Amino acid sequence: MTPPAPLHQAAAPLKILFVTPEVRPVVQTGGLADVSAALPAALRRLGVDVRILLPGYRAAVGERKKMRLCARIGDIPEHGEVRLLSAGLPHSDVPLLLVDYPIYYDREGGPYLDAEGHEWPDNAWRFGLFSHVAARLGSAGSPLAWRPDIVHCNDWQSALAPALMHFMPGRTAATLMTVHNLAYQGVFAPQFATRLGLPASSFHMQGVEYYGRFSFLKAGLYYADHLSTVSPTYAEEIQSEPLGFGLQGLLAARKQALTGILNGVDAERWNPASDPFLPAPFGPGHWDGKQANKTALQQTLGLEVRPDRPILGVVSRLTPQKGLDLLLAAAPRLLETPVQIAMVGNGDRDLERDWLALQARHPGAVAAHIGFDERLSHLVEAGADIFVMPSRFEPCGLNQMYSQLYGTPPVVHATGGLADTVVDATASAVQAGEATGFVFREMTARALEHALLRALDAYRDEHTWRRLQLNGMSRDFSWDHSARGYLALYRSILAARPHPPARIECSAVLP
Ligand code: ADP
Ligand code: GLC
């Protein structure tokens, strides 16, 4: 006799291919690498079967421990054999798939730029191939037995995949295109549209054409089933000038399919009570630790060791986006109050020079550490008194969240995720016990200076300052919350598809 069928069949876990050009600790230029490590891990904790697809950069392949060849793909136009390697991320249970194509990815330098800071000249090919592999893994022609329900693309480097999938015959996975920064779009000469495998008809305003050129990001935004970005305010801002960067019309037209989900903070890496990078752990009630970190920061960066001097901290990519030109302009007057400034960052050569010049003019009061240094970034968050983030635009921003958790109230411009995560210390917000920092609206050095002077006033009032610190330290920025938002979004994307995604039979399973 056949046993009765169970009333509730356990639902198969959702399968997500998370396609990203950077993931920490393997390769990082900014917050996308943090997100690409933490979000998949949080999704896995919620029972989602998520796997990451990354280009096989030298650093990724060099760090492989248990890596194995899991597939070969031989028929991508204009390319020889592409190998798919399977690896793992350190301290993570999220499987990692690497697109192994040494002439594109096995080189010295950064993932997008060479050692001199210039774009790699073959970036259209490098990320075109990357997108092709993502699209293939989400289609009936995948060489893997594992088939994603959704191909989740992140930023322009993977944004061709939704367009390629749109034109594929047969059923494909659904697609989600997440924008972490609309300022980077991957715009190339028009002929790349067809050379990278798209039909000529797609090179159109209603398609991948962007002011006469070919845009990877527009391809993703136009063809993906759903779009998301990393804060609710940024999701609104990109639907109009100036933050739409020429794509506002398309984004406004697709606003029903556009969702803003705030990033979170990796609580294991960013906890002042257990942070291995700090000489002295601390927390509410253990303020000596914070003071010890301040001393360590002053010593490490060559600042005068003065417990009484408030330190303004900065950790940032140095690009016009981050608005640090405003701080450079306001610095001479602020330094008279007096304060110290501790800046850790790298990027644009001109901004690096400006910071070094400011340091040279104010030895012992300004420290500019040019470089990417994880340990120092933690020490600044912990040892500074006030964190400064005057970004012109900020899709989400992570440092202002870290600084709140580290008892270092941030001063931020009211934009994107900064507006969504920092509660301005107005009299009523302080009274209500909700204030966590200082927000300014006008993008001028004067407005920043004014906000910093407000912060310095509050700093001198010990009681108010403690309240601000404690409010910030008790904020819940956990990834768990954001991951639930993505899970709900994945489900709604699948529910909105005209047909449920097919369980495609695999044609060939390679070892
Ligand atoms: P973005 O991605 O625009 O650079 P985010 O605030 O989202 O901005 O993320 C930046 C991430 O990169 C944070 O984790 C930050 O600590 C880190 N970071 C940026 N610059 C440096 C640096 N010079 N040294 C160490 N970490 C840095
Ligand atoms: C981008 C944005 C930043 C965001 C990060 C991760 O680099 O500039 O605001 O936090 O991506 O989503």
Side-chain angles (χ1 to χ4, degrees):
M1 212 172 91
T2 2
L7 283 180
H8 298 289
Q9 200 90 44
L14 210 54
K15 297 194 188 70
I16 305 294
L17 183 66
F18 191 89
V19 189
T20 180
E22 54 182 271
V23 58
R24 76 172 306 282
V26 179
V27 55
Q28 168 152 35
T29 68
L32 175 56
D34 297 87
V35 174
S36 300
L39 173 57
L43 285 165
R44 256 189 123 73
R45 289 195 291 275
L46 296 178
V48 179
D49 180 1
V50 53
R51 305 182 186 196
I52 297 173
L53 184 71
L54 180 79
Y57 305 117
R58 179 172 291 182
V61 173
E63 281 186 12
R64 80 185 136 187
K65 292 276 186 307
K66 298 175 188 149
M67 203 178 307
R68 63 189 177 92
L69 175 67
C70 61
R72 297 172 197 275
I73 305 173
D75 57 349
I76 293 179
E78 307 218 29
H79 290 86
E81 183 181 89
V82 183
R83 291 161 19 119
L84 202 60
L85 305 174
S86 120
L89 279 172
H91 320 296
S92 168
D93 59 353
V94 182
L96 175 66
L97 294 164
L98 298 172
V99 180
D100 192 28
Y101 200 72
I103 57 164
Y104 281 178
Y105 309 126
D106 183 15
R107 46 177 85 160
E108 274 311 319
Y112 323 126
L113 309 178
D114 65 18
E116 273 73 55
H118 303 122
E119 300 253 328
W120 291 112
D122 55 352
N123 270 349
W125 291 112
R126 297 172 74 230
F127 295 109
L129 178 68
F130 180 53
S131 296
H132 261 282
V133 173
R136 180 67 61 90
L137 297 184
S139 76
S142 171
L144 298 182
W146 182 85
R147 299 295 167 87
D149 299 303
I150 297 182
V151 173
H152 181 170
C153 299
N154 292 274
D155 277 354
W156 74 263
Q157 294 87 347
S158 56
L160 220 54
L164 293 165
M165 290 166 75
H166 176 85
F167 291 105
M168 278 176 173
R171 191 71 56 81
T172 60
T175 49
L176 170 62
M177 179 75 237
T178 297
V179 178
H180 295 263
N181 196 332
L182 203 64
Y184 303 99
Q185 301 188 0
V187 176
F188 300 98
Q191 55 270 28
F192 276 108
T194 47
R195 292 194 72 187
L196 287 171
L198 287 170
S201 61
S202 71
F203 193 74
H204 190 275
M205 208 171 92
Q206 308 295 325
V208 303
E209 186 256 2
Y210 176 79
Y211 297 100
R213 307 192 76 210
F214 165 59
S215 165
F216 270 55
L217 188 60
K218 187 173 173 203
L221 296 177
Y222 191 84
Y223 290 107
D225 292 314
H226 200 92
L227 316 177
S228 78
T229 186
V230 286
S231 70
T233 293
Y234 192 63
E236 289 295 321
E237 289 171 337
I238 57 179
Q239 294 176 39
S240 53
E241 291 273 24
L243 296 188
F245 285 96
L247 291 167
Q248 60 276 3
L250 171 57
L251 289 161
R254 296 209 64 191
K255 70 175 180 199
Q256 300 305 337
L258 170 62
T259 308
I261 301 178
L262 267 181
N263 289 332
V265 168
D266 183 340
E268 294 206 345
R269 289 180 54 224
W270 291 98
N271 178 352
S274 58
D275 186 332
F277 289 114
L278 299 184
F282 68 100
H286 303 280
W287 300 107
D288 310 355
K290 182 144 176 87
Q291 187 57 47
N293 290 311
K294 177 168 179 171
T295 306
L297 178 64
Q298 288 170 323
Q299 284 166 340
T300 308
L301 290 184
L303 291 166
E304 238 184 292
V305 178
R306 296 278 303 256
D308 56 321
R309 287 282 147 92
I311 303 182
L312 312 183
V314 175
V315 177
S316 186
R317 285 187 296 121
L318 296 181
T319 69
Q321 173 193 343
K322 301 293 178 180
L324 290 167
D325 46 312
L326 265 51
L327 181 58
L328 286 163
R333 277 218 297 271
L334 287 165
L335 287 162
E336 285 168 18
T337 58
V339 296
Q340 296 183 343
I341 302 179
M343 194 290 300
V344 176
N346 63 349
D348 286 7
R349 298 293 185 259
D350 287 350
L351 284 166
E352 292 182 351
R353 257 194 306 274
D354 291 346
W355 274 103
L356 291 173
L358 186 73
Q359 170 180 258
R361 285 198 296 277
H362 301 277
V366 175
H369 179 93
I370 305 297
F372 194 98
D373 188 318
E374 189 175 2
R375 188 182 69 85
L376 265 182
S377 74
H378 286 243
L379 193 57
V380 170
E381 294 286 3
D385 296 293
I386 296 169
F387 196 82
V388 192
M389 208 158 162
S391 309
R392 291 201 154 71
F393 63 94
E394 196 60 75
C396 179
L398 299 172
N399 284 295
Q400 83 283 6
M401 295 195 269
Y402 303 155
S403 74
Q404 288 172 74
L405 298 175
Y406 276 53
T408 309
V411 172
V412 302
H413 180 219
T415 185
L418 300 179
D420 289 341
T421 54
V422 180
V423 182
D424 190 27
T426 57
S428 58
V430 171
Q431 193 58 39
E434 287 164 359
T436 64
F438 300 83
V439 182
F440 65 98
R441 295 188 180 276
E442 213 188 310
M443 191 60 199
T444 61
R446 273 274 175 216
L448 169 63
E449 189 184 333
H450 182 71
L452 280 165
L453 293 175
R454 275 206 295 141
L456 289 165
D457 268 350
Y459 175 76
R460 288 182 205 107
D461 174 351
E462 209 175 303
H463 178 69
T464 305
W465 197 250
R466 272 288 181 268
R467 286 185 73 173
L468 285 181
Q469 289 180 302
L470 289 169
N471 294 343
M473 292 171 95
S474 61
R475 295 290 299 269
D476 177 7
F477 292 126
S478 71
W479 264 112
D480 185 56
H481 184 72
S482 313
R484 284 178 199 280
Y486 279 96
L487 182 54
L489 180 59
Y490 293 149
R491 290 202 172 117
S492 75
I493 293 170
L494 292 175
R497 288 210 110 189
H499 307 289
R503 292 278 163 202
I504 316 156
E505 290 312 313
C506 66
S507 44
V509 184
L510 289 151

